[in-house]
Amino acid sequence: ALRCLLPCTTSGIVTQTELNTAYRGSQFLLSSRYGMLLNVAFVTLMYASGIPILLIIGAMVFVVTYWIDKIYLLRFATAPPQYDAKLAISMLRLFKFAILLHLMLGCWVFSAGGDGDIGFPRPVLSQSIEDASDELLTESFGCHKILAEEDCEWSEKCEWSEQGTCIIDEESAAFQNFESFNFAPRLLNAVTFPYFLVMIVVLVHALLRLTPLRPAIDVATAVLCNAIIRAYEYLQAKCCKSSSTVHPEEHEKEEGDHGMPSYSQALADKKFGSFPSSYDITTIGKYAEVLSW
């Protein structure tokens, strides 16, 4: 439709160069598209833990952007220059930071609220860790060392219990401030500990790639990814293995895939007609005659 309206808007054009420019269309800037998509990906992954609907919105943005850019590039934009893979590879390398932000915000969001009334519950990861955290809290406030009731009442962070002992006042400002910055119960629980562990692995990997150990880290990463892919393929083959049994006599008839003969057998049976049996150009028909001079 836009091309059809161009003759109405080019009446003042005098030269052929100006006319070619009017019909050429605008430039398709790949860098700006990458920047916009990176912005969407980072925002979506960063806040998806607390706002899961962002995953759907982000996916819709990517789909709509794909079709709009495809139509715009093929129908209206000028032919872009030849790009290499450096920009795409750089974009993929930045995604590990988006994953890191997702893990950090996920740890914080999924550990909000310890009673189950607000946020998520915090199931105990290990009783020994829970005991060590309680002991650290007790030693930090020191209320158990106060023996007199008067001294306990004078303390702003302690209160006298019905059992006749001085305990921590959980409604005091000191306890509330301690809970706000106490990361142990937020990270070391059964909900957020896997997030925290993967976050540490990603962070260490990103930092080590900035050191001279980068080649070794890249090799180790490639080996690990290859092992994961092979394990997945092995499990997929085991799970999706056909229940039908192949008879030995039928298996003997199949020399290649789908019952086709092997290349050597097909060559021996002259299935390729007069096609040469060697890749040596000096032995092929007219080439042999020319090269023999």
Side-chain angles (χ1 to χ4, degrees):
L2 185 59
R3 294 288 177 91
C4 296
L5 295 177
L6 279 174
C8 301
T9 60
T10 56
S11 56
I13 292 179
V14 183
T15 64
Q16 184 65 38
T17 303
E18 295 177 349
L19 188 63
N20 294 341
T21 304
Y23 275 88
R24 186 179 296 131
S26 58
Q27 294 183 354
F28 184 85
L29 298 178
L30 189 61
S31 57
S32 62
R33 263 72 176 182
Y34 271 127
M36 185 269 292
L37 294 177
L38 273 178
N39 185 20
V40 174
F42 268 72
V43 172
T44 299
L45 290 176
M46 183 174 180
Y47 297 105
S49 301
I51 315 174
I53 197 174
L54 283 179
L55 295 173
I56 301 176
I57 297 175
M60 293 175 60
V61 169
F62 276 99
V63 171
V64 173
T65 302
Y66 167 77
W67 283 106
I68 291 178
D69 284 350
K70 182 177 181 179
I71 296 173
Y72 175 73
L73 176 62
L74 297 179
R75 300 295 182 183
F76 302 104
T78 59
Q82 295 293 330
Y83 293 101
D84 57 10
K86 292 182 180 179
L87 192 58
I89 294 175
S90 301
M91 181 179 178
L92 291 176
R93 287 176 177 172
L94 291 174
F95 264 89
K96 60 176 174 287
F97 299 105
I99 296 173
L100 184 61
L101 290 174
H102 172 73
L103 294 172
M104 293 172 63
L105 265 295
C107 288
W108 188 259
V109 170
F110 294 147
S111 63
D115 300 329
D117 298 332
I118 301 176
F120 295 88
R122 297 178 185 174
V124 178
L125 181 65
S126 174
Q127 191 59 42
S128 59
I129 296 177
E130 187 75 10
D131 295 340
S133 179
D134 294 340
E135 184 178 355
L136 176 63
L137 178 63
T138 303
E139 291 294 333
S140 300
F141 281 80
C143 296
H144 64 290
K145 299 178 182 179
I146 302 177
L147 302 179
E149 182 178 358
E150 293 79 7
D151 297 337
C152 184
E153 293 294 339
W154 274 100
S155 177
E156 297 180 354
K157 53 186 179 181
C158 303
E159 63 177 354
W160 194 257
S161 65
E162 297 178 355
Q163 289 77 19
T165 57
C166 188
I167 60 175
I168 301 174
D169 185 7
E170 296 184 358
E171 297 182 358
S172 62
F175 181 80
Q176 296 296 330
N177 292 332
F178 181 84
E179 282 293 299
S180 300
F181 295 97
N182 186 18
F183 296 101
R186 303 199 68 159
L187 298 178
L188 302 179
N189 61 78
V191 174
T192 57
F193 183 73
Y195 260 72
F196 177 67
L197 188 62
V198 177
M199 181 187 70
I200 294 298
V201 172
V202 174
L203 182 60
V204 170
H205 178 270
L207 293 177
L208 287 178
R209 292 191 80 251
L210 301 177
T211 65
L213 297 175
R214 176 174 178 173
I217 295 299
D218 291 341
V219 172
T221 303
V223 171
L224 179 61
C225 293
N226 190 25
I228 294 174
I229 293 174
R230 289 184 178 275
Y232 171 76
E233 292 176 350
Y234 175 78
L235 294 176
Q236 187 180 29
K238 284 291 185 181
C239 296
C240 303
K241 187 177 181 180
S242 176
S243 58
S244 60
T245 305
V246 179
H247 297 287
E249 55 273 12
E250 295 180 358
H251 181 70
E252 292 177 357
K253 295 179 182 178
E254 298 182 357
E255 297 184 3
D257 294 337
H258 308 290
M260 299 294 293
S262 62
Y263 173 77
S264 58
Q265 185 64 36
L267 190 63
D269 296 340
K270 297 183 178 181
K271 298 291 187 181
F272 301 106
S274 60
F275 193 79
S277 59
S278 174
Y279 290 106
D280 187 2
I281 195 173
T282 60
T283 63
I284 300 177
K286 297 180 180 179
Y287 296 103
E289 298 178 4
V290 174
L291 294 175
S292 62
W293 291 353

PDB file of all heavy atoms in Angstrom, residues 192-211:
ATOM      1  N   THR A 192      14.685 -21.870  48.155  1.00  0.00           N
ATOM      2  CA  THR A 192      15.598 -20.978  47.442  1.00  0.00           C
ATOM      3  C   THR A 192      17.027 -21.497  47.352  1.00  0.00           C
ATOM      4  O   THR A 192      17.825 -20.918  46.613  1.00  0.00           O
ATOM      5  CB  THR A 192      15.629 -19.606  48.134  1.00  0.00           C
ATOM      6  OG1 THR A 192      16.022 -19.789  49.506  1.00  0.00           O
ATOM      7  CG2 THR A 192      14.272 -18.954  48.088  1.00  0.00           C
ATOM      8  N   PHE A 193      17.373 -22.552  48.090  1.00  0.00           N
ATOM      9  CA  PHE A 193      18.761 -23.021  48.043  1.00  0.00           C
ATOM     10  C   PHE A 193      19.175 -23.492  46.647  1.00  0.00           C
ATOM     11  O   PHE A 193      20.301 -23.209  46.216  1.00  0.00           O
ATOM     12  CB  PHE A 193      18.990 -24.137  49.066  1.00  0.00           C
ATOM     13  CG  PHE A 193      20.410 -24.603  49.125  1.00  0.00           C
ATOM     14  CD1 PHE A 193      21.384 -23.810  49.698  1.00  0.00           C
ATOM     15  CD2 PHE A 193      20.789 -25.830  48.580  1.00  0.00           C
ATOM     16  CE1 PHE A 193      22.717 -24.227  49.752  1.00  0.00           C
ATOM     17  CE2 PHE A 193      22.098 -26.250  48.620  1.00  0.00           C
ATOM     18  CZ  PHE A 193      23.071 -25.450  49.209  1.00  0.00           C
ATOM     19  N   PRO A 194      18.326 -24.215  45.879  1.00  0.00           N
ATOM     20  CA  PRO A 194      18.735 -24.554  44.495  1.00  0.00           C
ATOM     21  C   PRO A 194      18.995 -23.315  43.644  1.00  0.00           C
ATOM     22  O   PRO A 194      19.957 -23.278  42.869  1.00  0.00           O
ATOM     23  CB  PRO A 194      17.538 -25.368  43.971  1.00  0.00           C
ATOM     24  CG  PRO A 194      16.900 -25.929  45.188  1.00  0.00           C
ATOM     25  CD  PRO A 194      17.064 -24.887  46.241  1.00  0.00           C
ATOM     26  N   TYR A 195      18.142 -22.283  43.786  1.00  0.00           N
ATOM     27  CA  TYR A 195      18.378 -21.021  43.068  1.00  0.00           C
ATOM     28  C   TYR A 195      19.714 -20.413  43.483  1.00  0.00           C
ATOM     29  O   TYR A 195      20.498 -19.947  42.639  1.00  0.00           O
ATOM     30  CB  TYR A 195      17.252 -20.035  43.381  1.00  0.00           C
ATOM     31  CG  TYR A 195      16.199 -19.945  42.316  1.00  0.00           C
ATOM     32  CD1 TYR A 195      15.289 -20.974  42.121  1.00  0.00           C
ATOM     33  CD2 TYR A 195      16.093 -18.827  41.498  1.00  0.00           C
ATOM     34  CE1 TYR A 195      14.315 -20.896  41.148  1.00  0.00           C
ATOM     35  CE2 TYR A 195      15.127 -18.729  40.521  1.00  0.00           C
ATOM     36  CZ  TYR A 195      14.228 -19.770  40.349  1.00  0.00           C
ATOM     37  OH  TYR A 195      13.273 -19.691  39.384  1.00  0.00           O
ATOM     38  N   PHE A 196      19.977 -20.409  44.777  1.00  0.00           N
ATOM     39  CA  PHE A 196      21.207 -19.818  45.305  1.00  0.00           C
ATOM     40  C   PHE A 196      22.430 -20.592  44.810  1.00  0.00           C
ATOM     41  O   PHE A 196      23.448 -19.991  44.444  1.00  0.00           O
ATOM     42  CB  PHE A 196      21.148 -19.820  46.836  1.00  0.00           C
ATOM     43  CG  PHE A 196      22.395 -19.309  47.493  1.00  0.00           C
ATOM     44  CD1 PHE A 196      22.768 -17.978  47.368  1.00  0.00           C
ATOM     45  CD2 PHE A 196      23.195 -20.152  48.238  1.00  0.00           C
ATOM     46  CE1 PHE A 196      23.921 -17.500  47.967  1.00  0.00           C
ATOM     47  CE2 PHE A 196      24.346 -19.678  48.846  1.00  0.00           C
ATOM     48  CZ  PHE A 196      24.706 -18.353  48.714  1.00  0.00           C
ATOM     49  N   LEU A 197      22.336 -21.914  44.750  1.00  0.00           N
ATOM     50  CA  LEU A 197      23.466 -22.732  44.306  1.00  0.00           C
ATOM     51  C   LEU A 197      23.777 -22.486  42.830  1.00  0.00           C
ATOM     52  O   LEU A 197      24.941 -22.299  42.450  1.00  0.00           O
ATOM     53  CB  LEU A 197      23.150 -24.211  44.544  1.00  0.00           C
ATOM     54  CG  LEU A 197      24.294 -25.197  44.313  1.00  0.00           C
ATOM     55  CD1 LEU A 197      25.443 -24.913  45.268  1.00  0.00           C
ATOM     56  CD2 LEU A 197      23.802 -26.636  44.507  1.00  0.00           C
ATOM     57  N   VAL A 198      22.737 -22.459  41.991  1.00  0.00           N
ATOM     58  CA  VAL A 198      22.956 -22.194  40.560  1.00  0.00           C
ATOM     59  C   VAL A 198      23.470 -20.773  40.356  1.00  0.00           C
ATOM     60  O   VAL A 198      24.322 -20.526  39.481  1.00  0.00           O
ATOM     61  CB  VAL A 198      21.655 -22.431  39.770  1.00  0.00           C
ATOM     62  CG1 VAL A 198      21.842 -22.085  38.308  1.00  0.00           C
ATOM     63  CG2 VAL A 198      21.206 -23.876  39.914  1.00  0.00           C
ATOM     64  N   MET A 199      22.997 -19.832  41.158  1.00  0.00           N
ATOM     65  CA  MET A 199      23.470 -18.455  41.049  1.00  0.00           C
ATOM     66  C   MET A 199      24.966 -18.371  41.341  1.00  0.00           C
ATOM     67  O   MET A 199      25.710 -17.679  40.631  1.00  0.00           O
ATOM     68  CB  MET A 199      22.702 -17.557  42.013  1.00  0.00           C
ATOM     69  CG  MET A 199      23.105 -16.094  41.967  1.00  0.00           C
ATOM     70  SD  MET A 199      22.308 -15.108  43.256  1.00  0.00           S
ATOM     71  CE  MET A 199      23.162 -15.741  44.706  1.00  0.00           C
ATOM     72  N   ILE A 200      25.434 -19.093  42.354  1.00  0.00           N
ATOM     73  CA  ILE A 200      26.860 -19.097  42.685  1.00  0.00           C
ATOM     74  C   ILE A 200      27.665 -19.692  41.541  1.00  0.00           C
ATOM     75  O   ILE A 200      28.734 -19.182  41.170  1.00  0.00           O
ATOM     76  CB  ILE A 200      27.104 -19.873  43.991  1.00  0.00           C
ATOM     77  CG1 ILE A 200      26.460 -19.137  45.181  1.00  0.00           C
ATOM     78  CG2 ILE A 200      28.586 -20.063  44.244  1.00  0.00           C
ATOM     79  CD1 ILE A 200      27.022 -17.754  45.426  1.00  0.00           C
ATOM     80  N   VAL A 201      27.164 -20.773  40.941  1.00  0.00           N
ATOM     81  CA  VAL A 201      27.880 -21.410  39.830  1.00  0.00           C
ATOM     82  C   VAL A 201      27.992 -20.457  38.641  1.00  0.00           C
ATOM     83  O   VAL A 201      29.066 -20.306  38.036  1.00  0.00           O
ATOM     84  CB  VAL A 201      27.178 -22.721  39.430  1.00  0.00           C
ATOM     85  CG1 VAL A 201      27.787 -23.290  38.161  1.00  0.00           C
ATOM     86  CG2 VAL A 201      27.257 -23.742  40.559  1.00  0.00           C
ATOM     87  N   VAL A 202      26.890 -19.796  38.292  1.00  0.00           N
ATOM     88  CA  VAL A 202      26.904 -18.857  37.161  1.00  0.00           C
ATOM     89  C   VAL A 202      27.816 -17.673  37.453  1.00  0.00           C
ATOM     90  O   VAL A 202      28.577 -17.216  36.579  1.00  0.00           O
ATOM     91  CB  VAL A 202      25.471 -18.382  36.851  1.00  0.00           C
ATOM     92  CG1 VAL A 202      25.481 -17.301  35.769  1.00  0.00           C
ATOM     93  CG2 VAL A 202      24.605 -19.557  36.403  1.00  0.00           C
ATOM     94  N   LEU A 203      27.784 -17.168  38.680  1.00  0.00           N
ATOM     95  CA  LEU A 203      28.623 -16.028  39.044  1.00  0.00           C
ATOM     96  C   LEU A 203      30.101 -16.390  38.999  1.00  0.00           C
ATOM     97  O   LEU A 203      30.930 -15.629  38.469  1.00  0.00           O
ATOM     98  CB  LEU A 203      28.232 -15.524  40.434  1.00  0.00           C
ATOM     99  CG  LEU A 203      28.978 -14.294  40.953  1.00  0.00           C
ATOM    100  CD1 LEU A 203      28.760 -13.108  40.022  1.00  0.00           C
ATOM    101  CD2 LEU A 203      28.541 -13.959  42.366  1.00  0.00           C
ATOM    102  N   VAL A 204      30.457 -17.557  39.542  1.00  0.00           N
ATOM    103  CA  VAL A 204      31.862 -17.996  39.523  1.00  0.00           C
ATOM    104  C   VAL A 204      32.327 -18.213  38.083  1.00  0.00           C
ATOM    105  O   VAL A 204      33.450 -17.848  37.717  1.00  0.00           O
ATOM    106  CB  VAL A 204      32.021 -19.278  40.368  1.00  0.00           C
ATOM    107  CG1 VAL A 204      33.402 -19.885  40.170  1.00  0.00           C
ATOM    108  CG2 VAL A 204      31.793 -18.975  41.839  1.00  0.00           C
ATOM    109  N   HIS A 205      31.459 -18.792  37.261  1.00  0.00           N
ATOM    110  CA  HIS A 205      31.823 -19.009  35.854  1.00  0.00           C
ATOM    111  C   HIS A 205      32.059 -17.686  35.131  1.00  0.00           C
ATOM    112  O   HIS A 205      33.027 -17.548  34.360  1.00  0.00           O
ATOM    113  CB  HIS A 205      30.718 -19.806  35.163  1.00  0.00           C
ATOM    114  CG  HIS A 205      30.959 -20.040  33.706  1.00  0.00           C
ATOM    115  ND1 HIS A 205      30.512 -19.162  32.727  1.00  0.00           N
ATOM    116  CD2 HIS A 205      31.610 -21.032  33.058  1.00  0.00           C
ATOM    117  CE1 HIS A 205      30.875 -19.611  31.543  1.00  0.00           C
ATOM    118  NE2 HIS A 205      31.532 -20.741  31.701  1.00  0.00           N
ATOM    119  N   ALA A 206      31.199 -16.701  35.371  1.00  0.00           N
ATOM    120  CA  ALA A 206      31.358 -15.398  34.717  1.00  0.00           C
ATOM    121  C   ALA A 206      32.636 -14.697  35.186  1.00  0.00           C
ATOM    122  O   ALA A 206      33.326 -14.048  34.384  1.00  0.00           O
ATOM    123  CB  ALA A 206      30.137 -14.524  34.991  1.00  0.00           C
ATOM    124  N   LEU A 207      32.970 -14.825  36.467  1.00  0.00           N
ATOM    125  CA  LEU A 207      34.173 -14.176  36.983  1.00  0.00           C
ATOM    126  C   LEU A 207      35.446 -14.873  36.507  1.00  0.00           C
ATOM    127  O   LEU A 207      36.445 -14.217  36.185  1.00  0.00           O
ATOM    128  CB  LEU A 207      34.133 -14.143  38.517  1.00  0.00           C
ATOM    129  CG  LEU A 207      33.055 -13.253  39.143  1.00  0.00           C
ATOM    130  CD1 LEU A 207      33.075 -13.366  40.650  1.00  0.00           C
ATOM    131  CD2 LEU A 207      33.233 -11.801  38.711  1.00  0.00           C
ATOM    132  N   LEU A 208      35.420 -16.201  36.445  1.00  0.00           N
ATOM    133  CA  LEU A 208      36.611 -16.924  36.008  1.00  0.00           C
ATOM    134  C   LEU A 208      36.922 -16.678  34.534  1.00  0.00           C
ATOM    135  O   LEU A 208      38.077 -16.767  34.121  1.00  0.00           O
ATOM    136  CB  LEU A 208      36.432 -18.429  36.255  1.00  0.00           C
ATOM    137  CG  LEU A 208      36.501 -18.874  37.711  1.00  0.00           C
ATOM    138  CD1 LEU A 208      36.259 -20.372  37.811  1.00  0.00           C
ATOM    139  CD2 LEU A 208      37.849 -18.523  38.336  1.00  0.00           C
ATOM    140  N   ARG A 209      35.897 -16.372  33.727  1.00  0.00           N
ATOM    141  CA  ARG A 209      36.140 -16.093  32.311  1.00  0.00           C
ATOM    142  C   ARG A 209      36.827 -14.742  32.105  1.00  0.00           C
ATOM    143  O   ARG A 209      37.280 -14.443  31.003  1.00  0.00           O
ATOM    144  CB  ARG A 209      34.832 -16.120  31.522  1.00  0.00           C
ATOM    145  CG  ARG A 209      34.216 -17.496  31.432  1.00  0.00           C
ATOM    146  CD  ARG A 209      33.090 -17.552  30.431  1.00  0.00           C
ATOM    147  NE  ARG A 209      33.593 -17.678  29.064  1.00  0.00           N
ATOM    148  CZ  ARG A 209      33.555 -16.726  28.156  1.00  0.00           C
ATOM    149  NH1 ARG A 209      33.058 -15.530  28.474  1.00  0.00           N
ATOM    150  NH2 ARG A 209      34.003 -16.919  26.936  1.00  0.00           N
ATOM    151  N   LEU A 210      36.909 -13.930  33.155  1.00  0.00           N
ATOM    152  CA  LEU A 210      37.634 -12.664  33.081  1.00  0.00           C
ATOM    153  C   LEU A 210      39.086 -12.813  33.480  1.00  0.00           C
ATOM    154  O   LEU A 210      39.834 -11.829  33.456  1.00  0.00           O
ATOM    155  CB  LEU A 210      36.955 -11.619  33.974  1.00  0.00           C
ATOM    156  CG  LEU A 210      35.487 -11.300  33.661  1.00  0.00           C
ATOM    157  CD1 LEU A 210      34.937 -10.306  34.666  1.00  0.00           C
ATOM    158  CD2 LEU A 210      35.347 -10.763  32.241  1.00  0.00           C
ATOM    159  N   THR A 211      39.509 -14.009  33.855  1.00  0.00           N
ATOM    160  CA  THR A 211      40.868 -14.286  34.301  1.00  0.00           C
ATOM    161  C   THR A 211      41.635 -15.036  33.200  1.00  0.00           C
ATOM    162  O   THR A 211      41.048 -15.425  32.181  1.00  0.00           O
ATOM    163  CB  THR A 211      40.834 -15.124  35.586  1.00  0.00           C
ATOM    164  OG1 THR A 211      40.261 -16.409  35.291  1.00  0.00           O
ATOM    165  CG2 THR A 211      39.987 -14.429  36.655  1.00  0.00           C
TER     166      THR A 211
END
